[in-house]
Amino acid sequence: MVQHGSALNFRDFVDELVRVGDAVMIDASVDAHLEAAAVARRVYESGGPAPVFNHVNGAAPGYRLMGAPAGMSALGSGYGRIAAHFGLPRASGARDIVEQLVAAMAAEPIEPAIVDTGPAKEHIMVGDEVDLERFGVPLLHRQDGGRYFGTYGMHIVRTPDGSWTSWSISRLMLRDKRSLVGPAMAQQHLGMIHRQWAALGKPTPWAFVLGAPPAAIAAAGMPLPDGINEDGYVGALTGRGVEVTRAQLHDLMVPANAEIVVEGYIDPVETDLEGPMGEYHGYQFEDSKPQPIFRVEAITHRDRPILPFCVAGMPPEENHTIWGTMIAASALDLLRRANFPVDFAWCSYEAATCWIVVSVDLDALRRQPVGEAELVRRIADILFTSHVGWLVPKVLLVANDIDITDINQLVWAMATRYRPGMGEYVFRDAPGIPLVPYLTAEDVRNQRGGKAITSLLQPEQLASGRTHGIAAQFTTSYPEGLQQKVIDRWTEYGFPENSSLANGT
């Protein structure tokens, strides 16, 4: 019996998106060399439906690609594709999604359900049969150093003592038909475990999953604490243990209904050049770097497999919509557990996962006023010592009279509440991810610097929890009765019936 639902079965996820018009099946032939990526890139920038390419020049017959699996949509709230990753209603907004993720962090983990086999093993290739080229691996940007097989997949590795199995995200570039190359940074869970095996002089047993259960691919990008198994969190998030089956070669458990599973080893010594690649921060640089080689010895996949891909670059794309959302949930959980006066946390998609915004609860400040420097010190101690703070270099503090998920309100708050020379606190020694584009060469070598907390809190908010001034807008500048009258008469005035304002939103 195959597990179903958009959160736990990627094929169901695709079918649901097609049914509601948020994905489109493309039967015209599309080239894997830049064309598929160009279509996906335009989808990100226009809010169009996710493209599923059924006929790919450069792929074996029946092998398919899907772009923009978690792009923002012009339909409804815009978060429909993201909500579908977790089995949530399409109308869910940012707060609905993040609160669901946080609630699952406090819930009892639900262990995966082990099954004998699944759709992921409908086709099996081992040894000389292995050929990564048959998938039509896309070239994503013309400046890239190679074609990228893994931009929306997850690594599965386990520590040598068997105590920790990690599901994690890190890109993989095609090297040849039987090998890949990509980063495994020491601060990443993938890199931590790889180094444990390398210290023993052994290759790291490894699997890589594409078309994983959507909730699993999201959890794999979440900065959960070291030693925590993502599979139990996925169970808590979805209410059911995710079905897994034994990998073809290793004693690793992989999602039973995945689209594609590749298996092999991470070489303990040998490296090759990887990149350059257009990246999540929106820039394309010319650097390529030596990275570990991932040797592929087996491939299993579903009938007519779908290889999902992300075209990293200017936001929003999956590095912002999924990774940023999971980071926001982790930050909110950390702050709440530390009794910080937080209302919400959000990685603004437009900021390319380079800042996280924390809204401070004004009621809490009213009950217990606090100085700005003390508030900043507290949040730095919580976030900049965590994996969340390692990933995101900037923190913005805003009172919760601002909806921090609305970029227009946030820009207004930055323009009218930031006090130049007074509201910014720099943390030069805080560790951070070396991919941040404005870091100096020395910062990158030291993997420190580029960290700051910027306060957009008014002095009155800190002292008494009260906002100086009232926002001049529809909801505050007119009596409630008149507001409702205007909403009720909206179409009578001559505005379109399908306008969001016609529904009072």
Side-chain angles (χ1 to χ4, degrees):
M1 188 71 177
V2 178
Q3 192 168 48
H4 284 289
S6 71
L8 291 172
N9 186 315
F10 185 82
R11 194 68 63 93
D12 287 359
F13 167 80
V14 173
D15 290 345
E16 179 180 313
L17 295 186
V18 170
R19 179 178 57 82
V20 300
D22 207 8
V24 59
M25 291 288 182
I26 297 176
D27 289 324
S29 293
V30 175
D31 205 303
H33 183 88
L34 291 177
E35 185 180 8
V39 173
R41 191 65 242 180
R42 192 161 191 229
V43 163
Y44 291 127
E45 295 173 15
S46 65
V52 182
F53 304 102
N54 289 328
H55 300 283
V56 179
N57 296 335
Y63 286 62
R64 299 183 285 170
L65 299 174
M66 179 186 188
M72 291 293 284
S73 172
L75 300 177
S77 71
Y79 295 92
R81 258 175 265 169
I82 303 163
H85 276 66
F86 311 110
L88 294 172
R90 287 192 57 82
S92 300
R95 187 177 285 266
D96 302 314
I97 295 169
V98 170
E99 291 291 3
Q100 181 79 2
L101 297 170
V102 172
M105 297 179 77
E108 192 69 26
I110 298 177
E111 296 302 309
I114 299 174
V115 297
D116 291 336
T117 190
K121 293 197 174 186
E122 287 171 342
H123 298 268
I124 299 172
M125 294 171 279
V126 295
D128 291 340
E129 300 172 316
V130 168
D131 184 2
L132 295 167
E133 300 270 6
R134 68 190 300 110
F135 291 96
V137 181
L139 181 66
L140 301 177
H141 316 87
R142 62 181 176 179
Q143 300 91 348
D144 285 355
R147 292 180 286 158
Y148 276 85
F149 180 77
T151 54
Y152 206 63
M154 69 182 195
H155 298 270
I156 300 179
V157 291
R158 187 171 58 195
T159 54
D161 65 6
S163 63
W164 175 26
T165 298
S166 170
W167 293 359
S168 63
I169 303 288
S170 189
R171 71 195 190 207
L172 286 172
M173 190 181 84
L174 185 70
R175 182 170 177 264
D176 55 42
K177 70 177 187 177
R178 292 195 57 179
S179 68
L180 301 152
V181 59
M185 289 185 279
Q187 298 83 356
Q188 295 175 307
H189 293 168
L190 175 66
M192 292 177 190
I193 293 175
H194 172 50
R195 279 158 179 74
Q196 290 185 28
W197 285 95
L200 299 174
K202 296 181 179 181
T204 305
W206 156 83
F208 188 73
V209 181
L210 287 155
I217 194 71
M222 192 172 197
L224 294 172
D226 301 352
I228 299 296
N229 292 351
E230 285 81 5
D231 54 16
Y233 173 75
V234 173
L237 181 59
T238 62
R240 289 182 289 165
V242 60
E243 288 188 353
V244 297
T245 191
R246 189 183 182 278
Q248 195 65 23
L249 300 179
H250 304 308
D251 191 22
L252 292 171
M253 306 307 291
V254 299
N257 61 25
E259 293 288 321
I260 302 162
V261 179
V262 301
E263 302 174 43
Y265 298 92
I266 310 174
D267 196 290
V269 176
E270 192 174 354
T271 63
D272 202 350
L273 291 178
E274 182 263 336
M277 176 189 174
E279 298 210 41
Y280 74 92
H281 41 60
Y283 291 93
Q284 177 94 43
F285 296 118
E286 297 180 355
D287 302 338
S288 58
K289 297 177 182 178
Q291 302 288 11
I293 294 173
F294 296 71
R295 303 192 182 279
V296 180
E297 299 191 352
I299 301 175
T300 70
H301 65 76
R302 295 185 71 149
D303 286 332
R304 302 189 70 230
I306 301 172
L307 188 158
F309 66 92
C310 161
V311 187
M314 289 286 286
E317 37 89 348
E318 285 75 16
N319 286 294
H320 319 120
T321 62
I322 291 294
W323 191 38
T325 299
M326 306 309 282
I327 290 170
S330 294
L332 184 56
D333 181 69
L334 282 171
L335 293 166
R336 284 178 175 170
R337 289 178 186 271
N339 295 316
F340 188 85
V342 61
D343 173 63
F344 197 58
W346 184 243
C347 281
S348 307
Y349 295 165
E350 297 83 358
T353 321
C354 286
W355 78 35
I356 187 164
V357 190
V358 175
S359 68
V360 179
D361 188 338
L362 285 174
D363 288 338
L365 291 183
R366 196 171 295 124
R367 292 190 301 269
Q368 190 172 357
V370 62
E372 184 176 84
E374 172 61 17
L375 201 65
V376 167
R377 184 197 62 77
R378 287 180 60 190
I379 200 167
D381 288 346
I382 297 164
L383 291 186
F384 287 164
T385 58
S386 73
H387 197 54
V388 169
W390 181 75
L391 292 169
V392 184
K394 299 173 185 174
V395 180
L396 304 182
L397 288 180
V398 189
N400 68 336
D401 63 325
I402 297 295
D403 177 2
I404 61 173
T405 68
D406 182 340
I407 193 66
N408 294 314
Q409 289 194 39
L410 184 58
V411 168
W412 176 68
M414 291 183 70
T416 61
R417 298 184 182 183
Y418 169 64
R419 305 184 306 285
M422 298 179 66
E424 188 172 42
Y425 299 77
V426 178
F427 295 81
R428 291 184 173 84
D429 293 328
I433 190 169
L435 300 178
V436 176
Y438 57 75
L439 294 178
T440 67
E442 184 179 359
D443 292 335
V444 172
R445 281 194 302 273
N446 297 331
Q447 296 196 27
R448 293 181 180 275
K451 299 282 188 179
I453 297 176
T454 301
S455 173
L456 309 182
L457 295 163
Q458 298 173 328
E460 294 87 349
Q461 290 171 334
L462 290 159
S464 62
R466 301 189 184 281
T467 299
H468 178 64
I470 298 171
Q473 58 186 351
F474 181 73
T475 55
T476 58
S477 297
Y478 309 96
E480 289 184 9
L482 179 57
Q483 292 177 40
Q484 191 59 50
K485 179 181 179 180
V486 169
I487 291 170
D488 292 342
R489 298 190 65 191
W490 197 249
T491 55
E492 183 184 343
Y493 298 144
F495 294 106
E497 187 172 0
N498 63 355
S499 167
S500 62
L501 290 175
N503 300 316
T505 59

